Amino acid sequence: MAHLQLSAVAGGGRPAAAGGGGDEMEDVRLLDSYDEEMGGGAAAAAAGEEEEAHVRVTGMTCSACTSAVEGAVSARRGVRRVAVSLLQNRAHVVFDPALLKVEDIIEAIEDAGFDAEIIPDTAISQPKAQKTLSAQFRIGGMTCANCVNSVEGILKKLSGVKGAVVALATSLGEVEYDPSVINKDEIVEAIEDAGFEAAFLQSSEQDKILLGLTGLHTERDVNVLHDILKKMIGLRQFDVNATVSEVEIIFDPEAVGLRSIVDAIETGSNGRLKAHVQNPYARGASNDAHEAAKMLHLLRSSLFLSFVVGKRFYIAAYRALRHGSTNMDVLVVLGTTASYVYSVCALLYGAFTGFHPPIYFETSAMIITFVLFGKYLEVLAKGKTSDAIKKLVELVPATALLLLKDKEGKYTEEREIDALLVQPGDILKVLPGSKVPADGVVVWGTSHVNESMITGESASIPKEVSSAVIGGTMNLHGVLHIQANKVGSETVLSQIISLVETAQMSKAPIQKFADYVASIFVPIVITLSIITFLVWFLCGWVGAYPNSWISGTSNCFVFSLMFAIAVVVIACPCALGLATPTAVMVATGVGANHGVLVKGGDALERAQNVNYVIFDKTGTLTQGKAVVTTAKVFSGMDLGYFLKLVASAEASSEHPLAKAIVEYAFHFHFFGKLPKSKNGIEQRKEEILSRWLLQVEDFSALPGKGVQCLINGKRVLVGNRTLITENGVNVPPEAENFLVDLELNAKTGILVSYDDDFVGLMGITDPLKREAAVVVEGLKKMGVHPVMLTGDNWRTAKAVAKEVGIEDVRAEVMPAGKADVVRSLQKDGSIVAMVGDGINDSPALAAADVGMAIGGGTDIAIEAADYVLVRNNLEDVITAIDLSRKTFSRIRWNYFFAMAYNVVAIPVAAGALFPFTRLQMPPWLAGACMAFSSVSVVCSSLLLRRYRKPRLTTVLQITVE
């Protein structure tokens, strides 16, 4: 999952074991383990060796100098990559040490006319093997899509920045950058130089933390803190900011824990200094509240001191014009300045001539006040769009109860700690009615946990020893002791928050329309304002309208100027810029509350037009829990020994079908002879299996066919019909007939041979999910064509498809061929969604226009998907499509309101109705209308918060919109 820090599997998936009909790896679930290191060494060797050099370059004065340095170094043979930073006076060079030496790099730079010296590794703050970082910045002062485009353009031009996305609705920017070339402070500086406010929030760097400090008042306190941190092992770097009482620490998490750092600060200062982790999300929420409070303060001040408060518009307009862009501030400044300058001139004219024309100082003041009022309401409304993130953040408990052991390993003490200081391996006590502090496993106790806030599933989930628990969920009844295994950014809740944030910052393709309109909007409005003034003035000058029209305004110049000012002030580019991001923001939050995680606006936009939904069979349409229903011997072998033989062959495989076979054989032999508790059964099972199973030699798994091995020196084959017939084993007619009956009843047949003689077979079924048939029918009602895709044999596939109501079936498809099926449906321009959960679904999920990973699908499947359906429930497929349609219906309404407002308001302000109604829109009223237009669009998006997903009882009533 993008931005969920889930790792892909290097080297691909494992081969299948006994999978019917080539259903390779189809049942693999999230809890299966994979070797992430497979093939890593070979890949590194193939890529060749690389070394890095950091060079200090002096004498550079402009971008032409950096280009000269880059060109000189790049021309040397063996240079892979080079990046030069003018602000840092540094060059970062990646090169092949077999072809180039560091001295050659120095020589190339000096030949270009600059001084150069190697920077020792110890002087470089970032680790040598530094990866690209993704950091979030809060950006203030943006008012429309033009501001967004301006900031993005500036960021993307920075050396070392690989990508930048800015969201107007959240006032956030996400920047992907190379920390060896540019740092966060330089990014903040670049944003501020562009005329906006900027503050760093957080980055993806896992070994950096920001601590808030209490008690840091004097220089002596700072020195004490320095002494404490210098003595700590594992601290790479720290930076104390006494002004805001914060310290940024880069540390080695393998050498020192975060809680140890916090404890050391308090202990080393004898309690004078206390440290706490700064929560970036809480800081973001407080910034929202601060922005709203700041706007309210400005509004109150504006009621009495409009010209003083109005300077913010003049400053922002100057910065925008200085960088060659235009925005709403430019329009406000033009309107207020025109009326103010005219009034000053009229006042002076009256002082010298004795004739006093009307003045309009109040127009400037009222325009500023009403615009600020609208901005205040807009800030409040925009804050509501991020409620989903705030609610998710609030799920994390503030504290946790840490259980401490004595030297003998007994729990002797409970300690309340900050939940952000929980470390992997900690044993935590969770009381009834409290929230689970971190992801982990129950080590003692039983209870029920409400996981609806994470999964959207309302039913409480029973928990006992070995059960997994999710941080942020509510413990309902009993006391639990859990062992934390995932903390911080690795928890499910943090990953969901990260995904929702990323989706809210992403731009839907439809946003390009608003960006284009915004880029030309202000120049067009200014042109229309000038035309308005000239038309009214020239018509009045030649007497095209009666003098009675201008009575009260002294002359046609003032009469025409008021129309022109109204045109400038009433036009609103902000509404267009907010139409898409606010709706996407609300929709992704609503989706998260319902267990539907959307990766971005582009996925949300594509899903509304889906023509085909392809379902993987096993684990998607079915429950993914294979069970053996039949075992029949067609030789003289005893049934008990037959099951022992098959279980021994399959015990070396981790395929779910293999596990089902071992489970069936185990319970056949030992049912009623085991402890009643689940934990006791598991402990005894491992012990019994190690003694009971037969010795296996030369085991091998055959992808899409089954397994083969040697037992007692004789070959054993366990798999599908293809495996048996390819090895020349004859299947008796009665066994063939029995197998056909199994397949016609939607069961998979597993055939077994011993010493090249057919001995028997087993029937395995994977029950359909109870909602499968209703969801398929609901999709048909929505105008979506369902397709079933499986590696199983045709008879079983058709039987399952018939039961679920799908006519279009693609069977006996190997994993590599699933993506080909997706592409074949896309040939005519159709939009195809793929729903799957296994590693073998990943190519198809990536190839589809909309990939949906359902339930606890494997990490790599989630990585390839556009939607993650947290619950293992097919109903969420309908929810995803329905939410997409509702969202883009709302976006279209937003654009209609924004466009209609400008199309109607500008002519009215220009006086198009004046000849018929004698009504003229005062500029201050035009300013009020402009301010409220943005608020109306945001409020329109907020209506999506009322979204309710379709229920299964009513889903069949869904019709094509």
Side-chain angles (χ1 to χ4, degrees):
M1 191 187 300
H3 300 278
L4 283 195
Q5 301 169 353
L6 300 176
S7 55
V9 180
R14 288 191 302 258
D23 195 1
E24 181 189 0
M25 293 298 291
E26 211 174 22
D27 292 272
V28 176
R29 307 294 297 170
L30 177 63
L31 297 180
D32 290 340
S33 60
Y34 299 95
D35 184 4
E36 296 183 358
E37 303 300 327
M38 248 175 86
E49 294 185 3
E50 287 185 350
E51 284 190 8
E52 296 182 3
H54 295 268
V55 185
R56 181 176 289 109
V57 184
T58 55
M60 297 188 298
T61 58
C62 62
S63 58
C65 298
T66 61
S67 299
V69 174
E70 286 182 356
V73 176
S74 300
R76 293 296 176 111
R77 184 167 175 261
V79 173
R80 300 277 176 81
R81 295 185 302 278
V82 59
V84 181
S85 170
L86 176 64
L87 297 177
Q88 292 180 307
N89 291 315
R90 181 183 296 178
H92 174 235
V93 185
V94 179
F95 62 97
D96 185 345
L99 301 175
L100 190 72
K101 296 181 180 179
V102 173
E103 290 77 10
D104 298 328
I105 299 173
I106 299 294
E107 182 183 353
I109 297 174
E110 290 178 344
D111 287 346
F114 303 93
D115 296 328
E117 62 175 328
I118 291 294
I119 304 174
D121 289 343
T122 54
I124 301 170
S125 61
Q126 297 292 347
K128 188 175 181 180
Q130 181 66 55
K131 298 180 180 178
T132 299
L133 295 184
S134 178
Q136 280 192 352
F137 299 83
R138 181 165 296 281
I139 303 172
M142 296 188 299
T143 57
C144 63
N146 243 16
C147 300
V148 172
N149 294 339
S150 178
V151 175
E152 284 185 353
I154 290 165
L155 289 174
K156 289 175 181 177
K157 291 178 183 177
L158 294 176
S159 177
V161 171
K162 299 184 177 181
V165 178
V166 177
L168 175 65
T170 58
S171 298
L172 290 178
E174 185 164 306
V175 182
E176 186 180 358
Y177 67 100
D178 184 347
S180 65
V181 180
I182 189 170
N183 59 44
K184 61 179 177 58
D185 296 325
E186 292 167 340
I187 295 173
V188 168
E189 184 179 349
I191 297 171
E192 289 178 342
D193 284 345
F196 301 93
E197 300 171 358
F200 172 78
L201 287 182
Q202 63 177 347
S203 78
S204 59
E205 192 171 18
Q206 296 303 302
D207 57 353
K208 180 182 288 184
I209 194 68
L210 188 67
L211 298 178
L213 298 165
T214 55
L216 195 69
H217 303 302
T218 65
E219 187 67 27
R220 182 169 174 268
D221 296 330
V222 175
N223 293 333
V224 169
L225 179 62
H226 272 270
D227 292 339
I228 295 170
L229 296 178
K230 285 179 182 177
K231 295 176 183 177
M232 292 196 68
I233 298 174
L235 260 64
R236 299 174 184 164
Q237 182 182 343
F238 61 88
D239 182 21
V240 179
N241 188 335
T243 306
V244 292
S245 296
E246 290 180 350
V247 56
E248 184 179 81
I249 297 174
I250 298 176
F251 67 100
D252 182 355
E254 298 295 324
V256 62
L258 179 57
R259 191 165 67 245
S260 301
I261 297 174
V262 172
D263 291 344
I265 292 173
E266 183 172 352
T267 304
S269 64
N270 295 322
R272 290 204 314 273
L273 299 178
K274 294 184 184 294
H276 57 275
V277 179
Q278 293 281 48
N279 189 323
Y281 302 109
R283 293 174 73 196
S286 65
N287 281 338
D288 287 340
H290 174 72
E291 182 67 20
K294 178 182 176 183
M295 201 62 67
L296 180 60
H297 174 71
L298 288 174
L299 173 61
R300 288 171 176 167
S301 302
S302 178
L303 294 174
F304 306 100
L305 302 168
S306 299
F307 300 123
V308 175
V309 175
K311 71 177 183 180
R312 69 180 300 275
F313 295 106
Y314 285 82
I315 293 172
Y318 166 73
R319 289 172 176 172
L321 292 172
R322 189 181 68 181
H323 290 88
S325 63
T326 52
N327 55 23
M328 182 205 74
D329 296 310
V330 174
L331 297 179
V332 173
V333 165
L334 284 175
T336 54
T337 301
S339 58
Y340 187 84
V341 169
Y342 162 77
S343 298
V344 170
C345 292
L347 200 62
L348 293 174
Y349 179 79
F352 285 105
T353 65
F355 176 75
H356 296 279
I359 56 176
Y360 295 94
F361 287 115
E362 79 285 354
T363 296
S364 297
M366 295 177 76
I367 288 174
I368 291 172
T369 301
F370 277 112
V371 170
L372 282 174
F373 182 51
K375 296 304 291 181
Y376 170 65
L377 294 179
E378 182 184 325
V379 169
L380 290 180
K382 283 163 63 178
K384 298 289 185 182
T385 64
S386 59
D387 276 354
I389 289 288
K390 294 174 185 175
K391 288 179 180 177
L392 288 172
V393 172
E394 289 169 359
L395 292 178
V396 182
T399 60
L401 283 177
L402 175 66
L403 295 178
L404 301 176
K405 294 181 179 180
D406 59 15
K407 294 181 180 179
E408 298 178 356
K410 296 180 180 179
Y411 297 117
T412 58
E413 183 183 350
E414 293 179 8
R415 177 184 171 191
E416 188 174 39
I417 62 171
D418 189 326
L420 296 172
L421 298 179
V422 174
Q423 298 175 172
D426 285 347
I427 304 298
L428 307 172
K429 182 178 181 180
V430 186
L431 299 173
S434 63
K435 294 175 181 177
V436 179
D439 293 4
V441 177
V442 177
V443 295
W444 181 87
T446 59
S447 183
H448 281 73
V449 174
N450 183 349
E451 297 182 348
S452 61
M453 59 282 292
I454 302 293
T455 65
E457 185 66 63
S458 58
S460 59
I461 311 297
K463 301 292 181 182
E464 55 186 15
V465 175
S466 299
S467 297
V469 290
I470 303 173
T473 56
M474 180 68 72
N475 181 27
L476 298 178
H477 304 301
V479 177
L480 294 177
H481 290 181
I482 69 165
Q483 182 176 32
N485 54 25
K486 290 184 179 179
V487 299
S489 61
E490 295 182 353
T491 63
V492 169
L493 181 58
S494 293
Q495 292 178 3
I496 290 175
I497 291 172
S498 176
L499 181 63
V500 174
E501 277 194 328
T502 304
Q504 291 181 345
M505 290 185 62
S506 67
K507 288 186 178 181
I510 197 173
Q511 179 68 23
K512 294 178 181 177
F513 166 75
D515 292 343
Y516 171 73
V517 172
S519 66
I520 62 174
F521 188 88
V522 174
I524 290 176
V525 169
I526 294 173
T527 302
L528 291 175
S529 176
I530 295 172
I531 293 173
T532 299
F533 173 79
L534 292 176
V535 169
W536 281 107
F537 181 74
L538 292 175
C539 288
W541 189 48
V542 299
Y545 51 80
N547 289 331
S548 60
W549 286 15
I550 61 175
S551 60
T553 57
S554 77
N555 57 55
C556 67
F557 176 84
V558 178
F559 182 66
S560 305
L561 182 63
M562 290 301 104
F563 282 122
I565 293 174
V567 169
V568 169
V569 174
I570 203 169
C572 183
C574 302
L576 281 170
L578 293 169
T580 297
T582 52
V584 169
M585 193 173 186
V586 176
T588 50
V590 167
N593 290 336
H594 289 293
V596 177
L597 304 181
V598 192
K599 286 194 177 179
D602 53 345
L604 200 64
E605 182 167 346
R606 289 193 300 270
Q608 64 168 328
N609 297 317
V610 164
N611 304 110
Y612 292 91
V613 172
I614 301 176
F615 290 99
D616 170 54
K617 179 178 75 69
T618 308
T620 302
L621 285 174
T622 64
Q623 295 177 12
K625 298 178 181 178
V627 292
V628 177
T629 59
T630 306
K632 189 172 179 65
V633 179
F634 290 89
S635 66
M637 185 180 291
D638 176 70
L639 177 59
Y641 186 79
F642 169 76
L643 293 175
K644 184 175 183 178
L645 183 75
V646 178
S648 301
E650 292 285 15
S652 299
S653 170
E654 292 190 10
H655 193 282
L657 297 184
K659 293 179 180 178
I661 292 172
V662 174
E663 192 76 19
Y664 181 83
F666 178 79
H667 281 276
F668 179 88
H669 281 272
F670 300 102
F671 182 74
K673 303 176 183 178
L674 296 171
K676 293 184 178 180
S677 71
K678 180 181 177 181
N679 193 38
I681 291 176
E682 292 300 321
Q683 291 176 350
R684 288 292 310 279
K685 183 178 178 181
E686 295 296 326
E687 179 185 343
I688 293 171
L689 282 176
S690 62
R691 298 197 308 264
W692 177 65
L693 293 175
L694 302 171
Q695 186 174 355
V696 173
E697 298 175 344
D698 296 335
F699 172 87
S700 62
L702 306 172
K705 298 177 184 178
V707 301
Q708 69 175 8
C709 61
L710 293 178
I711 296 179
N712 299 327
K714 298 178 180 179
R715 186 170 69 159
V716 176
L717 299 174
V718 183
N720 55 29
R721 185 189 282 102
T722 304
L723 175 66
I724 298 298
T725 55
E726 282 183 354
N727 286 274
V729 178
N730 293 321
V731 180
E734 60 272 24
E736 182 67 37
N737 294 334
F738 188 80
L739 179 61
V740 170
D741 288 339
L742 287 175
E743 292 172 346
L744 290 174
N745 286 283
K747 296 177 182 177
T748 299
I750 302 297
L751 293 79
V752 182
S753 73
Y754 180 64
D755 196 19
D756 294 332
D757 290 328
F758 182 83
V759 292
L761 59 79
M762 307 178 75
I764 298 182
T765 187
D766 187 0
L768 284 171
K769 292 176 179 174
R770 59 184 179 83
E771 75 276 8
V774 179
V775 169
V776 167
E777 184 64 24
L779 287 171
K780 292 178 181 177
K781 292 287 185 181
M782 296 174 75
V784 179
H785 185 74
V787 180
M788 191 182 82
L789 188 62
T790 179
D792 216 335
N793 64 79
W794 275 100
R795 285 198 190 98
T796 303
K798 287 182 176 179
V800 171
K802 182 179 180 181
E803 190 173 349
V804 81
I806 295 178
E807 293 83 19
D808 194 343
V809 183
R810 314 293 172 95
E812 297 182 5
V813 180
M814 298 298 282
K818 291 187 175 183
D820 295 332
V821 174
V822 172
R823 295 187 189 99
S824 68
L825 294 174
Q826 292 172 327
K827 284 182 179 178
D828 62 352
S830 296
I831 304 298
V832 178
M834 171 70 192
V835 186
D837 73 324
I839 284 180
N840 63 327
D841 300 323
S842 300
L845 287 169
D849 299 287
V850 181
M852 298 183 183
I854 190 167
T858 57
D859 292 358
I860 196 168
I862 292 173
E863 182 75 29
D866 300 298
Y867 280 77
V868 178
L869 312 181
V870 178
R871 303 186 306 162
N872 197 7
N873 193 320
L874 289 175
E875 183 184 357
D876 292 338
V877 175
I878 285 181
T879 301
I881 297 174
D882 185 61
L883 176 61
S884 173
R885 292 182 176 182
K886 294 289 196 307
T887 300
F888 275 83
S889 173
R890 179 56 52 190
I891 288 174
R892 292 185 189 98
W893 276 111
N894 287 353
Y895 276 128
F896 172 78
F897 289 141
M899 293 297 294
Y901 164 80
N902 285 293
V903 168
V904 173
I906 291 176
V908 170
L913 300 180
F914 185 84
F916 313 103
T917 63
R918 301 296 188 274
L919 293 177
Q920 182 178 9
M921 180 177 287
W924 65 265
L925 181 59
C929 292
M930 182 275 287
F932 282 97
S933 66
S934 296
V935 178
S936 65
V937 168
V938 177
C939 291
S940 172
S941 294
L942 286 174
L943 291 176
L944 283 170
R945 296 172 67 189
R946 301 169 59 186
Y947 174 82
R948 296 293 180 267
K949 64 180 183 179
R951 295 179 177 273
L952 281 175
T953 53
T954 59
V955 73
L956 295 180
Q957 303 300 318
I958 294 178
T959 56
V960 182
E961 294 184 357

